Amino acid sequence: MGLTARVLAIDAGNSKTDVAVVGADGGILATARGGGFRPPAVGVEKAMDALAEPVARAFTAAGVVSADHVSACLANADFPVEEERLAAALHARAWGTSVEVRNDTFAILRAGLTEPRGVAVVCGAGINCVGMRPDGRTARFPALGRISGDWGGGWGLAEEALWHAARAEDGRGGPTELAHTLPAHFGLPTMYALVEALHLGHIESSRRHELTPVLFATAADGDPVARAIVDRLAEEVVTMAMVALTRLSLLEEETPVLLGGSVLAAQHPQLNDRIRDLLADRAPKAVPQVVTASPVLGAVLLGLDHVGAGTEVQARARARYVG
């Protein structure tokens, strides 16, 4: 009979998957990395097949065949019904006796906390916000883009910058340096040329995310339109955090507000300073901090929370990921 680990932790995003096998003492027995987790694109079973490869490598390296508990923080688990469907698919793989599935934003939240209490706003390609309390209460948003009321994220910022730049060049909008800096990033002379290249596929649509750093650089150089877009993102981040804090009755308590994802982790001075100023005004007891720890740590800690691991066990696991 094969050996069993305490926790199998999975953090699976759209672009990559990280897996960790955790022993009873909180030690990390093995880790592995795999590709993206995209059930909407390939179906649940094929997405699970993609998870199976790094899980198998991690189990083999750890010398185990299963875990007591599977803690999975998964992209595209946006509604409870999706969490239930994915949990059932994980149960069928028999990787652990029990399974808990959460949206991958919870991994970033828990990675930055010493206890499961706080709020996280994550801004990468998209934007999302979650919160939790030790009693199990959570706050969350569907985070499906404009159809669920969202604005922001790297993709949204790039789209907004393109919109203003195109209108500035053809006269429908006011002037902005974005009309020059955006096409220049791709070696093109005008927004007309950039719009044509994007439309005809000469520049792949997926490369639009490259324009987000250009937006921030243009804002840092003082362009009013670019600065207004950055300020709007700060407003959106704080609005989401305020709603989550209010839902969890945490406005009157000193509470961590974690900032994660590639856009916020980059710590652009204008954006981060504006977020901190707005929080200081609207939620004085909120304690903003940027999360840089690997999100899989959050999946590990959520798994250890589930099995009732003590603080020493959790500290040992955290030490593996936080220098």
Side-chain angles (χ1 to χ4, degrees):
M1 180 179 295
L3 298 177
T4 300
R6 193 66 169 132
V7 172
L8 169 63
I10 302 171
D11 173 65
N14 284 296
S15 60
K16 65 177 176 63
T17 294
D18 282 314
V19 172
V21 181
V22 189
D25 65 350
I28 306 301
L29 305 178
T31 63
R33 172 164 288 188
F37 182 75
R38 300 180 297 125
V42 302
V44 171
E45 285 310 307
K46 286 189 177 179
M48 288 296 160
D49 289 341
L51 288 186
E53 191 271 332
V55 169
R57 281 193 285 114
F59 274 167
T60 299
V64 303
V65 296
S66 65
D68 293 330
H69 177 66
V70 178
S71 172
C73 295
L74 307 177
N76 304 296
D78 298 305
F79 288 90
V81 65
E82 292 172 316
E83 291 176 341
E84 293 168 7
R85 185 181 304 132
L86 293 169
L90 283 170
H91 267 298
R93 298 283 168 151
W95 292 334
T97 304
S98 61
V99 173
E100 185 173 38
V101 170
R102 295 176 183 265
N103 180 270
D104 58 339
T105 308
F106 280 99
I108 293 177
L109 172 59
R110 188 65 182 92
L113 300 174
T114 55
E115 62 172 346
R117 179 183 168 279
V119 167
V121 183
V122 179
C123 186
I127 189 167
N128 199 356
C129 175
V130 297
M132 62 170 59
R133 294 188 64 117
D135 62 8
R137 280 194 289 159
T138 63
R140 61 189 297 179
F141 299 83
L144 298 174
R146 291 188 65 84
I147 65 168
S148 58
D150 308 320
W151 186 91
W155 187 263
L157 292 174
E159 290 284 296
E160 193 77 6
L162 285 164
W163 188 87
H164 282 283
R167 292 172 69 87
E169 183 173 273
D170 68 19
R172 287 176 293 170
T176 171
E177 282 301 305
L178 292 168
H180 307 292
T181 58
L182 297 188
H185 173 75
F186 293 108
L188 297 173
T190 64
M191 277 302 299
Y192 184 93
L194 176 55
V195 170
E196 180 181 55
L198 288 169
H199 175 66
L200 297 178
H202 298 154
I203 296 174
E204 291 185 12
S205 178
S206 61
R207 294 190 64 194
R208 294 186 195 187
H209 72 86
E210 296 177 19
L211 297 176
T212 303
V214 179
L215 165 67
F216 279 101
T218 307
D221 286 340
D223 181 74
V225 171
R227 291 184 66 83
I229 296 172
V230 174
D231 282 344
R232 183 181 174 188
L233 177 61
E235 180 75 32
E236 190 69 14
V237 167
V238 172
T239 296
M240 295 185 88
M242 289 290 295
V243 170
L245 289 166
T246 301
R247 288 179 183 175
L248 295 174
S249 303
L250 290 172
L251 272 176
E252 302 305 318
E253 303 177 24
E254 188 171 292
T255 304
V257 173
L258 308 179
L259 308 174
S262 58
V263 173
L264 294 176
Q267 300 193 60
H268 301 286
Q270 179 194 345
L271 177 61
N272 279 28
D273 289 350
R274 183 60 176 159
I275 289 171
R276 291 172 189 277
D277 289 346
L278 290 172
L279 281 173
D281 179 58
R282 301 177 190 177
K285 293 192 175 183
V287 182
Q289 60 190 77
V290 175
V291 179
T292 57
S294 172
V296 74
L297 169 61
V300 168
L301 294 174
L302 286 167
L304 292 174
D305 291 339
H306 182 89
V307 300
T311 55
E312 289 187 6
V313 172
Q314 297 208 3
R316 187 172 291 109
R318 181 176 289 278
R320 170 65 169 75
Y321 290 96
V322 180

